[in-house]
């Protein structure tokens, strides 16, 4: 996770690719790789604090993050597998 979030940090990209340097990056770790409900709680907490986008890294728990994104009308980026079908089932 630490290496994955580096590219989101200000200064990590050349100037011409920096559309917004006023970015806040928060990192949360879930206690289990198979806890969508717990992951949803982390995501909801981030959205309540004003986060616009979540970059979710744990495939099986991402369902909780996607549920939170649909609930708040926000963006989530999933990795590891194609998760587009997951959003279709949720919405």
């Amino acid at each position: 996770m630490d290496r994955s979030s580096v590219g989101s940090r200000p200064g990590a990209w050349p100037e011409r690719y920096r559309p917004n340097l006023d970015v806040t990056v928060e990192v949360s770790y879930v206690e289990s790789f198979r806890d969508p409900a717990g992951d949803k709680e982390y995501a909801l907490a981030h959205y309540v604090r004003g986060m616009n986008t979540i970059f979710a890294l744990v495939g099986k728990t991402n369902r909780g993050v996607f549920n939170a994104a649909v609930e708040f009308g926000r963006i989530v980026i999933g990795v590891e597998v194609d998760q587009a079908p997951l959003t279709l089932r949720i919405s």
Side-chain angles (χ1 to χ4, degrees):
M1 176 61 194
D2 292 331
R3 289 177 61 197
S4 297
S5 66
V6 169
S8 302
R9 297 175 193 273
W13 293 89
E15 187 68 39
R16 67 178 181 236
Y17 297 114
R18 295 184 204 167
N20 180 4
L21 292 179
D22 187 27
V23 173
T24 300
V25 176
E26 293 186 13
V27 178
S28 294
Y29 297 96
V30 295
E31 301 296 321
S32 169
F33 290 116
R34 295 178 184 185
D35 183 14
D39 213 21
K40 181 179 180 181
E41 291 304 313
Y42 278 96
L44 289 173
H46 283 296
Y47 289 141
V48 166
R49 286 194 305 276
M51 294 290 119
N52 294 317
T53 305
I54 293 180
F55 182 67
L57 291 173
V58 182
K60 293 198 184 264
T61 64
N62 281 354
R63 178 179 300 277
V65 178
F66 278 87
N67 281 323
V70 168
E71 193 172 308
F72 265 75
R74 300 286 174 84
I75 297 170
V76 61
I77 301 168
V79 298
E80 298 173 354
V81 296
D82 179 9
Q83 296 177 11
L86 180 60
T87 61
L88 297 175
R89 286 193 301 267
I90 293 171
S91 57

